[in-house]
Structures are given as C-alpha cells and as structure tokens.
C-alpha cells in the first residue's frame, strides 16, 4: 500500500502528481523546482539561490516523511545549462555527507517546468 506524503513546507504540486509517495520503506520524491512555498514564487536570482530553494524543498518533503538526506539513495538532477554544474553541485553537496552521498546522475535538458534552470528528484529508504 502506498502512502502519499504532503507538506505545506514544500511547493504544492503543479500537476497530477504528489510531492512524494512512500511504498513500504522506499520514498519516491517528485522533482522539485525553486518555488518558495511561503509565497508560491520562483527563486531565480542566481543559480545558487535557485538550487538552495530546490534543496530546501526536498528537505521539507524528506522531513514530512520522517527522513533526512542521510537516507537518500538515488538522486537525479536535471539542468538546462551544464555550465551551471559546478554551482549546482556545490550547493547540492553542502546538504550531503560526501562519504555517504547517494548515487546520482546529472542530465542537461532543453527545458524544465516554469523555465527553471534546475530540478531535482530523490529516492530515499527508511
């Protein structure tokens, strides 16, 4: 049986999906973009600020499921410009323990929802 995870501390879905789904001991977090859940506005001043908001949104969803970044086993990062990789990676890495960091891929894509520059999804286990 799956359990829907929702928190007001992360942006509400902008389509027919949920923030996350918990199935048995595995949490599947939908891709998060840099929407500030307090005012529903995009945070896009810099790629650093944008990525920080994405990570804060992911953190809120993890916490709603009773988890932390330590339990993340897989991450997918979608970016629109590979030239932003170093900045995104720096922010992303500041939320994780490098020795126990999850498996990951980073993919450059043509376009993302709301024309953002970065979207990140995660899988975590209890």
């Amino acid at each position: 049986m799956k359990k829907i995870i929702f928190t007001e501390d992360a942006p509400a879905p902008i389509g027919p999906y949920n923030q996350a789904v918990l199935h048995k001991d595995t949490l599947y977090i939908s891709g998060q973009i840099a929407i500030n859940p307090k005012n529903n506005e995009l945070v896009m001043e810099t790629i650093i600020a944008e990525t920080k908001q994405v990570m804060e949104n992911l953190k809120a969803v993890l916490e709603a499921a009773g988890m932390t970044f330590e339990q993340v086993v897989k991450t997918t990062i979608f970016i629109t410009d590979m030239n932003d990789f170093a900045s995104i990676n720096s922010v992303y890495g500041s939320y994780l323990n490098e020795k126990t960091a999850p498996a990951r891929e980073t993919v450059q894509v043509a376009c993302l929802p709301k024309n953002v520059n970065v979207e990140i999804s995660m899988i975590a286990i209890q």
Side-chain angles (χ1 to χ4, degrees):
M1 177 85 128
K2 69 180 182 180
K3 177 182 178 185
I4 303 304
I5 303 299
F6 177 82
T7 177
E8 291 185 6
D9 294 329
I14 55 175
Y17 62 92
N18 287 290
Q19 291 170 334
V21 174
L22 180 65
H23 177 67
K24 296 184 180 179
D25 65 346
T26 305
L27 181 69
Y28 301 90
I29 305 174
S30 295
Q32 292 293 309
I33 61 174
I35 296 174
N36 181 331
K38 294 177 183 166
N39 60 17
N40 210 31
E41 293 183 13
L42 287 170
V43 175
M44 295 185 62
E45 294 81 21
T46 65
I47 193 63
I48 298 289
E50 184 175 352
T51 307
K52 183 172 173 44
Q53 184 64 59
V54 170
M55 294 302 291
E56 287 296 316
N57 292 344
L58 289 161
K59 181 180 175 183
V61 175
L62 283 164
E63 288 176 351
M67 296 185 183
T68 70
F69 284 113
E70 279 295 310
Q71 292 164 283
V72 175
V73 295
K74 181 74 166 62
T75 300
T76 303
I77 302 176
F78 301 98
I79 61 177
T80 57
D81 185 349
M82 199 56 79
N83 292 315
D84 289 333
F85 177 80
S87 295
I88 293 166
N89 197 51
S90 175
V91 175
Y92 171 85
S94 72
Y95 283 80
L96 301 161
N97 177 340
E98 192 170 328
K99 291 181 180 181
T100 60
R104 179 186 90 184
E105 66 266 330
T106 302
V107 181
Q108 181 174 317
V109 297
C111 188
L112 289 166
K114 295 191 175 280
N115 294 313
V116 298
N117 301 298
V118 59
E119 178 176 3
I120 303 175
S121 64
M122 293 181 160
I123 300 171
I125 58 171
Q126 292 180 326

